[in-house]
Amino acid sequence: MRARGTAALTLGVAVALIAGATLGNGGANLMPLFVDDFSSRFALGDSGAGLVGATQLMATAIVTLRLAARAARPGRVRMARTGLAVGLAGFVGATAASDLPTLILANLVIGAGLGAVYAAATAAIAATDDADKASAATIAGTVAVTALLIMAVPAANRSVGEGTGFLVMALCCLLAWPLVGGLPDGPTTSGNSKAGAATAPPNATATPTWVLLGGIALLWAVTQGAWAYASVFGREHTGMSASAVSVVLAVSGVVALVGAVLGPAAARRFGRTRSLAAFITAQALSMAALVLTHDPVLFIVAAVLWQACQLAVLVQTLAAAALLDPSGRLVASLSGASALGTGIGPLAVGAVLDTAGAGVLGVLLALGTFVASLPPLRMTVASATADRAQQPEPEPEPEVEPAPAAKPG
């Protein structure tokens, strides 16, 4: 199940993909830390700080979607580096901000810069010769580097001063500048594919439908929204301490890396559509269990299973999009849609939790996951057809002419 890419997945390419995806999605992954900083520095309430964070996330989503078509063409390195420069300026501005309007403007700049980086990096996954391995390596590396940033940003705020965590992110933009130079560009007619298949022409792109983008946005709104309140569920429903819940969530995030490995393996063994359906089902049920359970043991099991299945779903979705559209436009568009859902999810889940309670929320999260999964599952069916079309036809065996009969002596 290999994408029609042109670049071998070397260490340099993998590092470039990880650097771009980590920073491109850094706003979403580190937003709880940013919100804490907004609240303490500017004396904002939860809703006010959340709205400031939402401006950054929405800017990232919109720019990623707007640049998806541009990311399908050569010039991804320049796009990523431009985004890094813009993001760096935004992080410095957020550090120096002394009033709320400046802080909001800085977050809009951050979001715009990170959106450009995210579009370039995710589109580049489709330019590799093995989309499954590329997406798995990118996601696993992003999780690992993000875990380090989750420790580094608050440490800088505590040891140096409030707001300096943004300088850590600005430094990361500088460090990523040379690394993203390894991002591969779009496919050309080449024989580099490990599968030996002919690659697609550079201008072959697939326009994502609004149904598919909406499904991905809903899937990530459900996922990120539930994750934003996972600590609340653990403390209020199971009686676990805040520190114990933090440990559980941290461990589940690390163990979830298994999902990045299981995703491609399951796709090869059982088929992408069938295995993706199984992972989505397990994700929906474990998410509902985490929200509804009052048993600490079940909460721990549900958290680990949920996160592992989530990464498996993400790996398979990106790989299917890369296979279906080797230009990278589809991957970048889906990444923008997921960023949009990530920004909306916590606000929507919080509203449902306040008005209807955890019982209704658990049911809605499970149903939302199933409904949102239908367009991605349909996409995997199309990608399977594209995958079979790429496979080289076996060369016919040369015909052997029978030897002439011997003449009688």
Side-chain angles (χ1 to χ4, degrees):
M1 296 183 182
R2 301 182 187 279
R4 295 165 290 179
T6 62
L9 186 61
T10 62
L11 178 61
V13 170
V15 169
L17 292 173
I18 292 169
T22 299
L23 282 171
N25 203 32
N29 290 333
L30 300 176
M31 188 51 65
L33 305 178
F34 295 162
V35 168
D36 284 344
D37 180 82
F38 303 154
S39 300
S40 59
R41 277 203 292 160
F42 295 89
L44 297 175
D46 292 338
S47 59
L51 287 175
V52 174
T55 61
Q56 182 192 131
L57 297 179
M58 293 300 292
T60 299
I62 292 171
V63 172
T64 302
L65 287 169
R66 295 291 298 174
L67 292 181
R70 175 63 187 86
R73 302 195 298 271
R76 289 176 184 144
V77 173
R78 181 172 57 187
M79 178 187 293
R81 286 177 170 169
T82 301
L84 289 173
V86 174
L88 186 151
F91 284 125
V92 172
T95 304
S98 58
D99 54 72
L100 190 56
T102 303
L103 179 66
I104 293 174
L105 177 61
N107 276 273
L108 287 172
V109 174
I110 291 171
L114 298 189
V117 178
Y118 202 33
T122 53
I125 293 175
T128 62
D129 58 359
D130 193 324
D132 283 294
K133 288 184 178 179
S135 56
T138 302
I139 293 167
T142 299
V143 170
V145 178
T146 300
L148 297 176
L149 291 176
I150 289 175
M151 294 185 291
V153 169
N157 286 332
R158 288 192 304 267
S159 59
V160 181
E162 293 179 344
T164 51
F166 287 108
L167 290 182
V168 173
M169 297 303 297
L171 177 60
C172 289
C173 291
L174 287 175
L175 295 176
W177 181 278
L179 300 181
V180 297
L183 289 176
D185 271 321
T188 57
T189 302
S190 172
N192 289 347
S193 173
K194 292 181 181 178
T199 57
N203 295 326
T205 61
T207 302
T209 65
W210 287 108
V211 174
L212 177 58
L213 294 178
I216 293 294
L218 176 59
L219 182 62
W220 281 96
V222 169
T223 302
Q224 191 64 31
W227 183 250
Y229 290 89
S231 179
V232 175
F233 300 139
R235 287 185 288 103
E236 295 185 357
H237 294 181
T238 68
M240 300 171 66
S241 65
S243 59
V245 173
S246 298
V247 170
V248 170
L249 298 182
V251 170
S252 68
V254 174
V255 176
L257 291 173
V258 175
V261 178
L262 290 179
R268 289 190 295 268
R269 178 68 177 83
F270 304 106
R272 197 183 303 280
T273 303
R274 184 183 303 175
S275 59
L276 181 60
F279 282 123
I280 287 174
T281 302
Q283 176 181 342
L285 295 178
S286 57
M287 186 192 309
L290 181 138
V291 174
L292 299 175
T293 186
H294 293 271
D295 184 352
V297 175
L298 182 56
F299 179 88
I300 295 171
V301 173
V304 173
L305 180 60
W306 174 25
Q307 291 301 292
C309 291
Q310 177 189 340
L311 284 192
V313 169
L314 179 57
V315 168
Q316 290 216 31
T317 303
L318 291 179
L323 181 61
L324 193 59
D325 179 12
S327 74
R329 178 181 180 181
L330 186 56
V331 182
S333 297
L334 297 189
S335 299
S338 67
L340 182 63
T342 297
I344 296 173
L347 298 175
V349 168
V352 174
L353 186 61
D354 288 339
T355 56
V360 174
L361 177 63
V363 175
L364 289 178
L365 291 176
L367 289 177
T369 301
F370 284 122
V371 172
S373 68
L374 295 178
L377 284 171
R378 185 179 178 183
M379 179 184 68
T380 63
V381 175
S383 72
T385 303
D387 188 29
R388 287 192 295 270
Q390 289 180 59
Q391 302 304 319
E393 298 182 359
E395 296 181 2
E397 297 183 1
E399 298 182 0
V400 179
E401 297 182 0
K407 295 181 179 180

